[in-house]
Amino acid sequence: MKKFEKHSDKQLFILLFNDDTCAFEEIFNRYWSGLYAAAYKRIKHHEVAEEIVQDLFTLLWTKRKSIQIHTSLAAYLYTAVRYMVINQIQKEGVRNSYKDYLQKMKIFDNSTEDTVFLNDLNRSIDKEVNHLPSKCRYIFELSRKEYKTNREIAEVLGISEKTVEGHLTKALRLLKLTISESRLTSWLL
């Protein structure tokens, strides 16, 4: 194995350009820890910083024939890491914005499945309301469909508020029982 510790960066880059893997290894050993520290300083995440530096060295090897260094190899590498960190931060920002957007959209999600379920539930409620005793059904409809208070219903029908509450309690109990039984039955089938 060749020893390249005494070679300058310029000499190493010329050897790298000529496909010398030992020169690449020396550049890697010479700069890896410093580049990692520079990336970690900005990212604050070990795995991401390592990935950035590994990607940089992969690019250095694969693009070795087309890279043109105008200053120094060190300046080129540190500048490349800085830009890769900036790109990573921008990508992460876009990902986070998209995640936030999706979370907000879940709040307003009116998916087809939810709509079908709601329509099915409304049909079940209407069907079961029609099976209630007539006075109980009428009081329930005044309360839930016409949004009348118990006092207003009592005045309209000439009955006490307690009687209205009794009919509503009965209606709700029967509806809960029959709808939950039908849901359980359809779920089991």
Side-chain angles (χ1 to χ4, degrees):
M1 183 167 138
K2 300 176 187 176
K3 295 287 182 186
F4 290 109
E5 290 115 14
K6 295 184 182 187
H7 283 69
S8 69
D9 285 352
K10 191 172 190 172
Q11 292 169 325
L12 287 172
F13 191 72
I14 291 168
L15 292 168
L16 176 69
F17 181 83
N18 293 316
D19 304 328
D20 192 318
T21 57
C22 292
F24 175 77
E25 188 177 328
E26 178 60 30
I27 294 169
F28 181 88
N29 291 334
R30 198 175 280 186
Y31 289 103
W32 190 91
S33 61
L35 293 169
Y36 168 79
Y40 181 76
K41 179 180 165 185
R42 291 177 178 91
I43 297 277
K44 304 285 190 234
H45 194 273
H46 293 290
E47 290 81 15
V48 175
E50 283 180 4
E51 197 173 303
I52 287 171
V53 176
Q54 293 296 358
D55 288 347
L56 173 60
F57 279 108
T58 300
L59 284 171
L60 181 65
W61 178 256
T62 58
K63 305 272 186 188
R64 66 189 175 278
K65 299 282 187 185
S66 61
I67 293 174
Q68 295 180 359
I69 297 177
H70 301 290
T71 54
S72 70
L73 179 61
Y76 175 83
L77 293 173
Y78 282 98
T79 302
V81 160
R82 187 175 76 229
Y83 284 118
M84 291 174 86
V85 164
I86 290 168
N87 286 339
Q88 179 65 33
I89 291 169
Q90 287 174 339
K91 285 180 195 174
E92 196 61 36
V94 168
R95 273 190 215 108
N96 289 336
S97 294
Y98 187 66
K99 284 179 190 176
D100 290 345
Y101 171 76
L102 288 178
Q103 290 292 43
K104 289 176 185 174
M105 291 311 294
K106 283 183 182 180
I107 294 169
F108 302 111
D109 186 23
N110 290 329
S111 68
T112 305
E113 183 178 328
D114 291 342
T115 304
V116 168
F117 176 78
L118 184 60
N119 289 339
D120 186 33
L121 182 61
N122 283 331
R123 276 192 299 276
S124 296
I125 291 171
D126 288 340
K127 179 181 171 189
E128 295 306 323
V129 166
N130 287 330
H131 289 101
L132 292 172
S134 61
K135 192 162 194 169
C136 192
R137 178 180 60 233
Y138 185 62
I139 291 172
F140 180 84
E141 290 175 341
L142 287 173
S143 173
R144 296 305 194 260
K145 293 184 179 178
E146 295 183 28
Y147 308 104
K148 296 198 180 290
T149 64
N150 290 358
R151 176 176 283 162
E152 291 171 329
I153 296 169
E155 289 174 5
V156 167
L157 297 178
I159 57 177
S160 71
E161 281 185 52
K162 282 287 187 192
T163 305
V164 171
E165 285 178 27
H167 281 290
L168 288 174
T169 301
K170 180 180 179 181
L172 290 172
R173 186 173 27 86
L174 289 171
L175 289 173
K176 283 180 186 177
L177 182 66
T178 54
I179 290 173
S180 64
E181 284 178 357
S182 68
R183 289 273 167 222
L184 181 61
T185 304
S186 66
W187 182 73
L188 290 173
L189 297 175

